[in-house]
Amino acid sequence: MATAAGARRPDPLRLAPIAAGAPGGPGPVLLEAAVVAHEPVAPEYLRLVLDAPAIARAAAPGQFVMLTLAGPGEAAPVLPRPMAIYGWDRVTGLVEIVYRVVGEGTRRLARWPAGTPMVVVGPLGRGFVLPPARRIVLLGRGI
């Protein structure tokens, strides 16, 4: 790509799609995950740790999970909540979610006790891997 002055700028960074069978593939799973830890990390922010080995094995940067907040015997809330995957460990099978309490859904999630199972679907979304690069600029909007 050339600039107005004729100097060549590097091509824009292109994200590589995840190949089937690689981390980030082949697709989401539905499972009942044990809540290993659920603790505050800052005012209004909590860290949720799930024992979800199938999700941890398949997770890739940029993906999320859907958390169902209905407990045993409850019919509501009907819709699961999408939450970005903050971190994962393929060896231990743990998946971390960090979220901000902003509405009724996240208030309900904030009351979910450690040790209680939760229905989870994931990983969802289009994961990515960064190709080797000398410099990158990362822009994002969080929690």
PDB file of all heavy atoms in Angstrom, residues 23-61:
ATOM      1  N   PRO A  23      -6.945 -25.542  18.480  1.00  0.00           N
ATOM      2  CA  PRO A  23      -7.620 -24.830  19.561  1.00  0.00           C
ATOM      3  C   PRO A  23      -8.534 -23.769  18.957  1.00  0.00           C
ATOM      4  O   PRO A  23      -8.153 -23.063  18.041  1.00  0.00           O
ATOM      5  CB  PRO A  23      -6.467 -24.210  20.347  1.00  0.00           C
ATOM      6  CG  PRO A  23      -5.311 -25.115  20.069  1.00  0.00           C
ATOM      7  CD  PRO A  23      -5.510 -25.572  18.644  1.00  0.00           C
ATOM      8  N   GLY A  24      -9.745 -23.686  19.442  1.00  0.00           N
ATOM      9  CA  GLY A  24     -10.724 -22.780  18.862  1.00  0.00           C
ATOM     10  C   GLY A  24     -11.696 -23.518  17.957  1.00  0.00           C
ATOM     11  O   GLY A  24     -12.669 -22.972  17.502  1.00  0.00           O
ATOM     12  N   GLY A  25     -11.476 -24.762  17.665  1.00  0.00           N
ATOM     13  CA  GLY A  25     -12.363 -25.573  16.846  1.00  0.00           C
ATOM     14  C   GLY A  25     -12.692 -26.812  17.624  1.00  0.00           C
ATOM     15  O   GLY A  25     -12.151 -27.032  18.675  1.00  0.00           O
ATOM     16  N   PRO A  26     -13.542 -27.665  17.236  1.00  0.00           N
ATOM     17  CA  PRO A  26     -14.387 -27.630  16.061  1.00  0.00           C
ATOM     18  C   PRO A  26     -15.713 -26.935  16.288  1.00  0.00           C
ATOM     19  O   PRO A  26     -16.375 -26.552  15.348  1.00  0.00           O
ATOM     20  CB  PRO A  26     -14.600 -29.108  15.760  1.00  0.00           C
ATOM     21  CG  PRO A  26     -14.583 -29.763  17.089  1.00  0.00           C
ATOM     22  CD  PRO A  26     -13.609 -28.950  17.914  1.00  0.00           C
ATOM     23  N   GLY A  27     -16.149 -26.755  17.533  1.00  0.00           N
ATOM     24  CA  GLY A  27     -17.412 -26.078  17.750  1.00  0.00           C
ATOM     25  C   GLY A  27     -17.762 -26.022  19.218  1.00  0.00           C
ATOM     26  O   GLY A  27     -17.068 -26.587  20.063  1.00  0.00           O
ATOM     27  N   PRO A  28     -18.870 -25.347  19.531  1.00  0.00           N
ATOM     28  CA  PRO A  28     -19.259 -25.181  20.926  1.00  0.00           C
ATOM     29  C   PRO A  28     -19.809 -26.465  21.536  1.00  0.00           C
ATOM     30  O   PRO A  28     -20.264 -27.362  20.833  1.00  0.00           O
ATOM     31  CB  PRO A  28     -20.342 -24.105  20.857  1.00  0.00           C
ATOM     32  CG  PRO A  28     -20.873 -24.178  19.477  1.00  0.00           C
ATOM     33  CD  PRO A  28     -19.751 -24.652  18.611  1.00  0.00           C
ATOM     34  N   VAL A  29     -19.759 -26.528  22.858  1.00  0.00           N
ATOM     35  CA  VAL A  29     -20.338 -27.638  23.611  1.00  0.00           C
ATOM     36  C   VAL A  29     -21.283 -27.067  24.655  1.00  0.00           C
ATOM     37  O   VAL A  29     -21.118 -25.935  25.101  1.00  0.00           O
ATOM     38  CB  VAL A  29     -19.257 -28.504  24.297  1.00  0.00           C
ATOM     39  CG1 VAL A  29     -18.377 -29.192  23.284  1.00  0.00           C
ATOM     40  CG2 VAL A  29     -18.419 -27.693  25.249  1.00  0.00           C
ATOM     41  N   LEU A  30     -22.273 -27.855  25.013  1.00  0.00           N
ATOM     42  CA  LEU A  30     -23.184 -27.507  26.093  1.00  0.00           C
ATOM     43  C   LEU A  30     -22.836 -28.420  27.255  1.00  0.00           C
ATOM     44  O   LEU A  30     -22.742 -29.631  27.088  1.00  0.00           O
ATOM     45  CB  LEU A  30     -24.629 -27.735  25.665  1.00  0.00           C
ATOM     46  CG  LEU A  30     -25.650 -27.437  26.764  1.00  0.00           C
ATOM     47  CD1 LEU A  30     -26.741 -26.539  26.224  1.00  0.00           C
ATOM     48  CD2 LEU A  30     -26.227 -28.706  27.320  1.00  0.00           C
ATOM     49  N   LEU A  31     -22.583 -27.832  28.430  1.00  0.00           N
ATOM     50  CA  LEU A  31     -22.228 -28.649  29.586  1.00  0.00           C
ATOM     51  C   LEU A  31     -22.650 -27.989  30.877  1.00  0.00           C
ATOM     52  O   LEU A  31     -22.981 -26.805  30.907  1.00  0.00           O
ATOM     53  CB  LEU A  31     -20.724 -28.944  29.605  1.00  0.00           C
ATOM     54  CG  LEU A  31     -19.741 -27.770  29.507  1.00  0.00           C
ATOM     55  CD1 LEU A  31     -19.505 -27.126  30.843  1.00  0.00           C
ATOM     56  CD2 LEU A  31     -18.435 -28.287  28.943  1.00  0.00           C
ATOM     57  N   GLU A  32     -22.661 -28.787  31.925  1.00  0.00           N
ATOM     58  CA  GLU A  32     -22.904 -28.262  33.269  1.00  0.00           C
ATOM     59  C   GLU A  32     -21.541 -28.124  33.918  1.00  0.00           C
ATOM     60  O   GLU A  32     -20.855 -29.117  34.157  1.00  0.00           O
ATOM     61  CB  GLU A  32     -23.804 -29.217  34.043  1.00  0.00           C
ATOM     62  CG  GLU A  32     -24.315 -28.615  35.326  1.00  0.00           C
ATOM     63  CD  GLU A  32     -25.366 -29.493  35.976  1.00  0.00           C
ATOM     64  OE1 GLU A  32     -24.968 -30.467  36.643  1.00  0.00           O
ATOM     65  OE2 GLU A  32     -26.562 -29.198  35.798  1.00  0.00           O
ATOM     66  N   ALA A  33     -21.125 -26.896  34.175  1.00  0.00           N
ATOM     67  CA  ALA A  33     -19.800 -26.619  34.726  1.00  0.00           C
ATOM     68  C   ALA A  33     -19.911 -26.269  36.204  1.00  0.00           C
ATOM     69  O   ALA A  33     -20.808 -25.527  36.608  1.00  0.00           O
ATOM     70  CB  ALA A  33     -19.155 -25.458  33.969  1.00  0.00           C
ATOM     71  N   ALA A  34     -18.981 -26.786  36.980  1.00  0.00           N
ATOM     72  CA  ALA A  34     -18.923 -26.418  38.391  1.00  0.00           C
ATOM     73  C   ALA A  34     -18.324 -25.026  38.521  1.00  0.00           C
ATOM     74  O   ALA A  34     -17.350 -24.700  37.836  1.00  0.00           O
ATOM     75  CB  ALA A  34     -18.071 -27.423  39.164  1.00  0.00           C
ATOM     76  N   VAL A  35     -18.897 -24.201  39.370  1.00  0.00           N
ATOM     77  CA  VAL A  35     -18.330 -22.883  39.663  1.00  0.00           C
ATOM     78  C   VAL A  35     -17.266 -23.103  40.739  1.00  0.00           C
ATOM     79  O   VAL A  35     -17.578 -23.430  41.876  1.00  0.00           O
ATOM     80  CB  VAL A  35     -19.409 -21.889  40.129  1.00  0.00           C
ATOM     81  CG1 VAL A  35     -18.778 -20.571  40.544  1.00  0.00           C
ATOM     82  CG2 VAL A  35     -20.432 -21.676  39.018  1.00  0.00           C
ATOM     83  N   VAL A  36     -16.011 -22.954  40.348  1.00  0.00           N
ATOM     84  CA  VAL A  36     -14.876 -23.207  41.234  1.00  0.00           C
ATOM     85  C   VAL A  36     -14.634 -22.018  42.158  1.00  0.00           C
ATOM     86  O   VAL A  36     -14.319 -22.183  43.337  1.00  0.00           O
ATOM     87  CB  VAL A  36     -13.607 -23.522  40.408  1.00  0.00           C
ATOM     88  CG1 VAL A  36     -12.396 -23.676  41.290  1.00  0.00           C
ATOM     89  CG2 VAL A  36     -13.835 -24.760  39.559  1.00  0.00           C
ATOM     90  N   ALA A  37     -14.753 -20.814  41.621  1.00  0.00           N
ATOM     91  CA  ALA A  37     -14.540 -19.591  42.407  1.00  0.00           C
ATOM     92  C   ALA A  37     -15.435 -18.501  41.846  1.00  0.00           C
ATOM     93  O   ALA A  37     -15.733 -18.481  40.647  1.00  0.00           O
ATOM     94  CB  ALA A  37     -13.083 -19.163  42.346  1.00  0.00           C
ATOM     95  N   HIS A  38     -15.860 -17.609  42.721  1.00  0.00           N
ATOM     96  CA  HIS A  38     -16.674 -16.470  42.313  1.00  0.00           C
ATOM     97  C   HIS A  38     -16.389 -15.366  43.320  1.00  0.00           C
ATOM     98  O   HIS A  38     -16.870 -15.419  44.447  1.00  0.00           O
ATOM     99  CB  HIS A  38     -18.150 -16.851  42.296  1.00  0.00           C
ATOM    100  CG  HIS A  38     -18.986 -15.939  41.493  1.00  0.00           C
ATOM    101  ND1 HIS A  38     -20.348 -16.051  41.428  1.00  0.00           N
ATOM    102  CD2 HIS A  38     -18.677 -14.896  40.696  1.00  0.00           C
ATOM    103  CE1 HIS A  38     -20.836 -15.120  40.634  1.00  0.00           C
ATOM    104  NE2 HIS A  38     -19.834 -14.394  40.184  1.00  0.00           N
ATOM    105  N   GLU A  39     -15.578 -14.400  42.919  1.00  0.00           N
ATOM    106  CA  GLU A  39     -15.062 -13.425  43.877  1.00  0.00           C
ATOM    107  C   GLU A  39     -14.951 -12.036  43.268  1.00  0.00           C
ATOM    108  O   GLU A  39     -14.742 -11.896  42.066  1.00  0.00           O
ATOM    109  CB  GLU A  39     -13.679 -13.872  44.352  1.00  0.00           C
ATOM    110  CG  GLU A  39     -12.690 -14.006  43.212  1.00  0.00           C
ATOM    111  CD  GLU A  39     -11.558 -14.978  43.491  1.00  0.00           C
ATOM    112  OE1 GLU A  39     -11.630 -15.750  44.457  1.00  0.00           O
ATOM    113  OE2 GLU A  39     -10.603 -14.955  42.713  1.00  0.00           O
ATOM    114  N   PRO A  40     -15.074 -11.006  44.106  1.00  0.00           N
ATOM    115  CA  PRO A  40     -14.893  -9.641  43.608  1.00  0.00           C
ATOM    116  C   PRO A  40     -13.413  -9.373  43.289  1.00  0.00           C
ATOM    117  O   PRO A  40     -12.529  -9.887  43.963  1.00  0.00           O
ATOM    118  CB  PRO A  40     -15.358  -8.758  44.761  1.00  0.00           C
ATOM    119  CG  PRO A  40     -15.485  -9.637  45.940  1.00  0.00           C
ATOM    120  CD  PRO A  40     -15.479 -11.048  45.498  1.00  0.00           C
ATOM    121  N   VAL A  41     -13.186  -8.592  42.222  1.00  0.00           N
ATOM    122  CA  VAL A  41     -11.820  -8.184  41.863  1.00  0.00           C
ATOM    123  C   VAL A  41     -11.653  -6.672  41.950  1.00  0.00           C
ATOM    124  O   VAL A  41     -10.534  -6.172  41.981  1.00  0.00           O
ATOM    125  CB  VAL A  41     -11.395  -8.700  40.465  1.00  0.00           C
ATOM    126  CG1 VAL A  41     -11.279 -10.206  40.478  1.00  0.00           C
ATOM    127  CG2 VAL A  41     -12.351  -8.244  39.384  1.00  0.00           C
ATOM    128  N   ALA A  42     -12.753  -5.940  41.968  1.00  0.00           N
ATOM    129  CA  ALA A  42     -12.775  -4.479  42.082  1.00  0.00           C
ATOM    130  C   ALA A  42     -14.226  -4.098  42.377  1.00  0.00           C
ATOM    131  O   ALA A  42     -15.122  -4.934  42.237  1.00  0.00           O
ATOM    132  CB  ALA A  42     -12.290  -3.833  40.781  1.00  0.00           C
ATOM    133  N   PRO A  43     -14.474  -2.858  42.768  1.00  0.00           N
ATOM    134  CA  PRO A  43     -15.871  -2.458  42.973  1.00  0.00           C
ATOM    135  C   PRO A  43     -16.685  -2.700  41.694  1.00  0.00           C
ATOM    136  O   PRO A  43     -16.264  -2.313  40.608  1.00  0.00           O
ATOM    137  CB  PRO A  43     -15.771  -0.961  43.291  1.00  0.00           C
ATOM    138  CG  PRO A  43     -14.392  -0.791  43.849  1.00  0.00           C
ATOM    139  CD  PRO A  43     -13.535  -1.779  43.093  1.00  0.00           C
ATOM    140  N   GLU A  44     -17.789  -3.406  41.825  1.00  0.00           N
ATOM    141  CA  GLU A  44     -18.725  -3.742  40.739  1.00  0.00           C
ATOM    142  C   GLU A  44     -18.230  -4.822  39.789  1.00  0.00           C
ATOM    143  O   GLU A  44     -18.940  -5.199  38.866  1.00  0.00           O
ATOM    144  CB  GLU A  44     -19.106  -2.500  39.926  1.00  0.00           C
ATOM    145  CG  GLU A  44     -19.801  -1.419  40.715  1.00  0.00           C
ATOM    146  CD  GLU A  44     -20.162  -0.230  39.846  1.00  0.00           C
ATOM    147  OE1 GLU A  44     -19.990  -0.277  38.614  1.00  0.00           O
ATOM    148  OE2 GLU A  44     -20.620   0.776  40.406  1.00  0.00           O
ATOM    149  N   TYR A  45     -17.010  -5.342  39.936  1.00  0.00           N
ATOM    150  CA  TYR A  45     -16.455  -6.346  39.033  1.00  0.00           C
ATOM    151  C   TYR A  45     -16.215  -7.656  39.777  1.00  0.00           C
ATOM    152  O   TYR A  45     -15.687  -7.653  40.887  1.00  0.00           O
ATOM    153  CB  TYR A  45     -15.142  -5.871  38.417  1.00  0.00           C
ATOM    154  CG  TYR A  45     -15.328  -4.731  37.450  1.00  0.00           C
ATOM    155  CD1 TYR A  45     -15.330  -3.415  37.900  1.00  0.00           C
ATOM    156  CD2 TYR A  45     -15.504  -4.970  36.099  1.00  0.00           C
ATOM    157  CE1 TYR A  45     -15.509  -2.367  37.024  1.00  0.00           C
ATOM    158  CE2 TYR A  45     -15.682  -3.920  35.213  1.00  0.00           C
ATOM    159  CZ  TYR A  45     -15.683  -2.621  35.682  1.00  0.00           C
ATOM    160  OH  TYR A  45     -15.855  -1.578  34.806  1.00  0.00           O
ATOM    161  N   LEU A  46     -16.596  -8.760  39.133  1.00  0.00           N
ATOM    162  CA  LEU A  46     -16.392 -10.075  39.731  1.00  0.00           C
ATOM    163  C   LEU A  46     -15.674 -11.003  38.760  1.00  0.00           C
ATOM    164  O   LEU A  46     -15.739 -10.818  37.544  1.00  0.00           O
ATOM    165  CB  LEU A  46     -17.729 -10.706  40.125  1.00  0.00           C
ATOM    166  CG  LEU A  46     -18.382 -10.065  41.344  1.00  0.00           C
ATOM    167  CD1 LEU A  46     -19.425  -9.062  40.924  1.00  0.00           C
ATOM    168  CD2 LEU A  46     -18.983 -11.125  42.213  1.00  0.00           C
ATOM    169  N   ARG A  47     -15.010 -12.004  39.322  1.00  0.00           N
ATOM    170  CA  ARG A  47     -14.302 -13.036  38.559  1.00  0.00           C
ATOM    171  C   ARG A  47     -15.008 -14.357  38.840  1.00  0.00           C
ATOM    172  O   ARG A  47     -15.148 -14.762  39.986  1.00  0.00           O
ATOM    173  CB  ARG A  47     -12.850 -13.091  39.008  1.00  0.00           C
ATOM    174  CG  ARG A  47     -12.039 -14.193  38.392  1.00  0.00           C
ATOM    175  CD  ARG A  47     -10.589 -14.101  38.929  1.00  0.00           C
ATOM    176  NE  ARG A  47      -9.842 -15.285  38.610  1.00  0.00           N
ATOM    177  CZ  ARG A  47      -9.586 -16.274  39.457  1.00  0.00           C
ATOM    178  NH1 ARG A  47     -10.018 -16.208  40.700  1.00  0.00           N
ATOM    179  NH2 ARG A  47      -8.895 -17.317  39.080  1.00  0.00           N
ATOM    180  N   LEU A  48     -15.439 -15.012  37.767  1.00  0.00           N
ATOM    181  CA  LEU A  48     -16.114 -16.299  37.836  1.00  0.00           C
ATOM    182  C   LEU A  48     -15.191 -17.335  37.211  1.00  0.00           C
ATOM    183  O   LEU A  48     -14.732 -17.143  36.079  1.00  0.00           O
ATOM    184  CB  LEU A  48     -17.435 -16.221  37.065  1.00  0.00           C
ATOM    185  CG  LEU A  48     -18.254 -17.496  36.905  1.00  0.00           C
ATOM    186  CD1 LEU A  48     -18.861 -17.909  38.241  1.00  0.00           C
ATOM    187  CD2 LEU A  48     -19.352 -17.278  35.876  1.00  0.00           C
ATOM    188  N   VAL A  49     -14.896 -18.410  37.940  1.00  0.00           N
ATOM    189  CA  VAL A  49     -14.032 -19.470  37.420  1.00  0.00           C
ATOM    190  C   VAL A  49     -14.865 -20.736  37.301  1.00  0.00           C
ATOM    191  O   VAL A  49     -15.470 -21.185  38.287  1.00  0.00           O
ATOM    192  CB  VAL A  49     -12.808 -19.715  38.332  1.00  0.00           C
ATOM    193  CG1 VAL A  49     -11.919 -20.804  37.741  1.00  0.00           C
ATOM    194  CG2 VAL A  49     -12.020 -18.433  38.528  1.00  0.00           C
ATOM    195  N   LEU A  50     -14.887 -21.300  36.091  1.00  0.00           N
ATOM    196  CA  LEU A  50     -15.672 -22.496  35.799  1.00  0.00           C
ATOM    197  C   LEU A  50     -14.759 -23.675  35.512  1.00  0.00           C
ATOM    198  O   LEU A  50     -13.737 -23.527  34.830  1.00  0.00           O
ATOM    199  CB  LEU A  50     -16.555 -22.258  34.573  1.00  0.00           C
ATOM    200  CG  LEU A  50     -17.521 -21.076  34.639  1.00  0.00           C
ATOM    201  CD1 LEU A  50     -18.115 -20.800  33.275  1.00  0.00           C
ATOM    202  CD2 LEU A  50     -18.606 -21.351  35.662  1.00  0.00           C
ATOM    203  N   ASP A  51     -15.142 -24.845  35.997  1.00  0.00           N
ATOM    204  CA  ASP A  51     -14.450 -26.076  35.639  1.00  0.00           C
ATOM    205  C   ASP A  51     -15.126 -26.600  34.373  1.00  0.00           C
ATOM    206  O   ASP A  51     -16.168 -27.243  34.437  1.00  0.00           O
ATOM    207  CB  ASP A  51     -14.546 -27.085  36.776  1.00  0.00           C
ATOM    208  CG  ASP A  51     -13.758 -28.362  36.488  1.00  0.00           C
ATOM    209  OD1 ASP A  51     -12.920 -28.363  35.556  1.00  0.00           O
ATOM    210  OD2 ASP A  51     -13.979 -29.361  37.195  1.00  0.00           O
ATOM    211  N   ALA A  52     -14.540 -26.269  33.222  1.00  0.00           N
ATOM    212  CA  ALA A  52     -15.139 -26.586  31.923  1.00  0.00           C
ATOM    213  C   ALA A  52     -14.045 -27.027  30.956  1.00  0.00           C
ATOM    214  O   ALA A  52     -13.678 -26.291  30.042  1.00  0.00           O
ATOM    215  CB  ALA A  52     -15.893 -25.379  31.390  1.00  0.00           C
ATOM    216  N   PRO A  53     -13.491 -28.243  31.140  1.00  0.00           N
ATOM    217  CA  PRO A  53     -12.358 -28.686  30.318  1.00  0.00           C
ATOM    218  C   PRO A  53     -12.621 -28.678  28.814  1.00  0.00           C
ATOM    219  O   PRO A  53     -11.744 -28.302  28.037  1.00  0.00           O
ATOM    220  CB  PRO A  53     -12.087 -30.107  30.815  1.00  0.00           C
ATOM    221  CG  PRO A  53     -12.683 -30.177  32.174  1.00  0.00           C
ATOM    222  CD  PRO A  53     -13.839 -29.215  32.168  1.00  0.00           C
ATOM    223  N   ALA A  54     -13.818 -29.055  28.386  1.00  0.00           N
ATOM    224  CA  ALA A  54     -14.111 -29.084  26.947  1.00  0.00           C
ATOM    225  C   ALA A  54     -14.062 -27.677  26.347  1.00  0.00           C
ATOM    226  O   ALA A  54     -13.602 -27.493  25.222  1.00  0.00           O
ATOM    227  CB  ALA A  54     -15.470 -29.726  26.685  1.00  0.00           C
ATOM    228  N   ILE A  55     -14.506 -26.691  27.098  1.00  0.00           N
ATOM    229  CA  ILE A  55     -14.462 -25.310  26.624  1.00  0.00           C
ATOM    230  C   ILE A  55     -13.036 -24.787  26.667  1.00  0.00           C
ATOM    231  O   ILE A  55     -12.559 -24.152  25.721  1.00  0.00           O
ATOM    232  CB  ILE A  55     -15.425 -24.416  27.430  1.00  0.00           C
ATOM    233  CG1 ILE A  55     -16.871 -24.855  27.162  1.00  0.00           C
ATOM    234  CG2 ILE A  55     -15.229 -22.943  27.089  1.00  0.00           C
ATOM    235  CD1 ILE A  55     -17.905 -24.175  28.020  1.00  0.00           C
ATOM    236  N   ALA A  56     -12.315 -25.084  27.738  1.00  0.00           N
ATOM    237  CA  ALA A  56     -10.923 -24.624  27.864  1.00  0.00           C
ATOM    238  C   ALA A  56     -10.047 -25.191  26.752  1.00  0.00           C
ATOM    239  O   ALA A  56      -9.180 -24.496  26.221  1.00  0.00           O
ATOM    240  CB  ALA A  56     -10.358 -25.014  29.231  1.00  0.00           C
ATOM    241  N   ARG A  57     -10.276 -26.447  26.364  1.00  0.00           N
ATOM    242  CA  ARG A  57      -9.479 -27.059  25.289  1.00  0.00           C
ATOM    243  C   ARG A  57      -9.726 -26.399  23.941  1.00  0.00           C
ATOM    244  O   ARG A  57      -8.842 -26.347  23.096  1.00  0.00           O
ATOM    245  CB  ARG A  57      -9.795 -28.554  25.181  1.00  0.00           C
ATOM    246  CG  ARG A  57      -9.089 -29.414  26.184  1.00  0.00           C
ATOM    247  CD  ARG A  57      -9.218 -30.896  25.836  1.00  0.00           C
ATOM    248  NE  ARG A  57     -10.593 -31.341  25.708  1.00  0.00           N
ATOM    249  CZ  ARG A  57     -11.336 -31.797  26.716  1.00  0.00           C
ATOM    250  NH1 ARG A  57     -10.845 -31.849  27.931  1.00  0.00           N
ATOM    251  NH2 ARG A  57     -12.572 -32.191  26.504  1.00  0.00           N
ATOM    252  N   ALA A  58     -10.944 -25.899  23.725  1.00  0.00           N
ATOM    253  CA  ALA A  58     -11.313 -25.362  22.414  1.00  0.00           C
ATOM    254  C   ALA A  58     -11.255 -23.844  22.328  1.00  0.00           C
ATOM    255  O   ALA A  58     -11.381 -23.287  21.244  1.00  0.00           O
ATOM    256  CB  ALA A  58     -12.723 -25.835  22.054  1.00  0.00           C
ATOM    257  N   ALA A  59     -11.052 -23.151  23.446  1.00  0.00           N
ATOM    258  CA  ALA A  59     -11.132 -21.684  23.468  1.00  0.00           C
ATOM    259  C   ALA A  59     -10.003 -21.028  22.674  1.00  0.00           C
ATOM    260  O   ALA A  59      -8.900 -21.551  22.585  1.00  0.00           O
ATOM    261  CB  ALA A  59     -11.115 -21.180  24.905  1.00  0.00           C
ATOM    262  N   ALA A  60     -10.317 -19.868  22.119  1.00  0.00           N
ATOM    263  CA  ALA A  60      -9.351 -19.048  21.387  1.00  0.00           C
ATOM    264  C   ALA A  60      -9.634 -17.584  21.726  1.00  0.00           C
ATOM    265  O   ALA A  60     -10.744 -17.239  22.153  1.00  0.00           O
ATOM    266  CB  ALA A  60      -9.474 -19.273  19.882  1.00  0.00           C
ATOM    267  N   PRO A  61      -8.651 -16.712  21.547  1.00  0.00           N
ATOM    268  CA  PRO A  61      -8.884 -15.286  21.803  1.00  0.00           C
ATOM    269  C   PRO A  61     -10.088 -14.772  21.016  1.00  0.00           C
ATOM    270  O   PRO A  61     -10.305 -15.162  19.865  1.00  0.00           O
ATOM    271  CB  PRO A  61      -7.593 -14.620  21.318  1.00  0.00           C
ATOM    272  CG  PRO A  61      -6.562 -15.689  21.421  1.00  0.00           C
ATOM    273  CD  PRO A  61      -7.280 -16.978  21.103  1.00  0.00           C
TER     274      PRO A  61
END
